Amino acid sequence: MMHDYILKFPSKAVAEQFGIANGFAITNEDGSVETTLASHEYALHIIGEHNASDYWVLFRDLVGIPVPESADQFIYWASTWTVTDEDGADIPVPRPEDNPDIPNVFWA
């Protein structure tokens, strides 16, 4: 089952270190970080800085990759999140779309 995540990092450097630690990026011989934007298991879209703060990434899990423990602090929204309505039913938390502080970038 496919899951989408909006990740919010305090800086590009933190995002790159997270990517390296979890196998989504590597450090090249020249010291630059190269992100693997897609595989058969996931796809990434680097949004970058938004409103001159934070560093945002969209992550689409295509196969049910286990979420790394260290990711919880960076997950701003997940398609797996639900809330309970007044009838006790779980309903999905909608993707934040109307907040100007959140990048409004969607998958193509």
Side-chain angles (χ1 to χ4, degrees):
M1 176 178 238
M2 184 174 60
H3 302 291
D4 288 345
Y5 300 89
I6 298 175
L7 304 172
K8 177 180 151 183
F9 297 93
S11 68
K12 179 180 181 182
V14 172
E16 289 175 340
Q17 289 306 309
F18 178 83
I20 291 167
N22 291 287
F24 305 118
I26 60 167
T27 303
N28 288 330
E29 291 177 9
D30 65 1
S32 64
V33 175
E34 182 179 322
T35 302
T36 304
L37 296 177
S39 74
H40 292 291
E41 297 179 338
Y42 69 87
L44 288 170
H45 176 73
I46 306 297
I47 298 168
E49 284 190 11
H50 178 69
N51 288 346
S53 68
D54 302 315
Y55 194 81
W56 298 80
V57 175
L58 290 175
F59 184 89
R60 175 164 281 171
D61 172 4
L62 303 172
V63 297
I65 299 169
V67 177
E69 284 184 31
S70 60
D72 287 344
Q73 63 186 315
F74 304 119
I75 298 173
Y76 188 85
W77 173 85
S79 63
T80 58
W81 288 354
T82 61
V83 293
T84 304
D85 68 11
E86 60 276 354
D87 297 324
D90 287 337
I91 56 172
V93 174
R95 182 189 298 250
E97 296 179 10
D98 297 329
N99 185 334
D101 295 328
I102 303 166
N104 194 4
V105 176
F106 299 93
W107 296 102

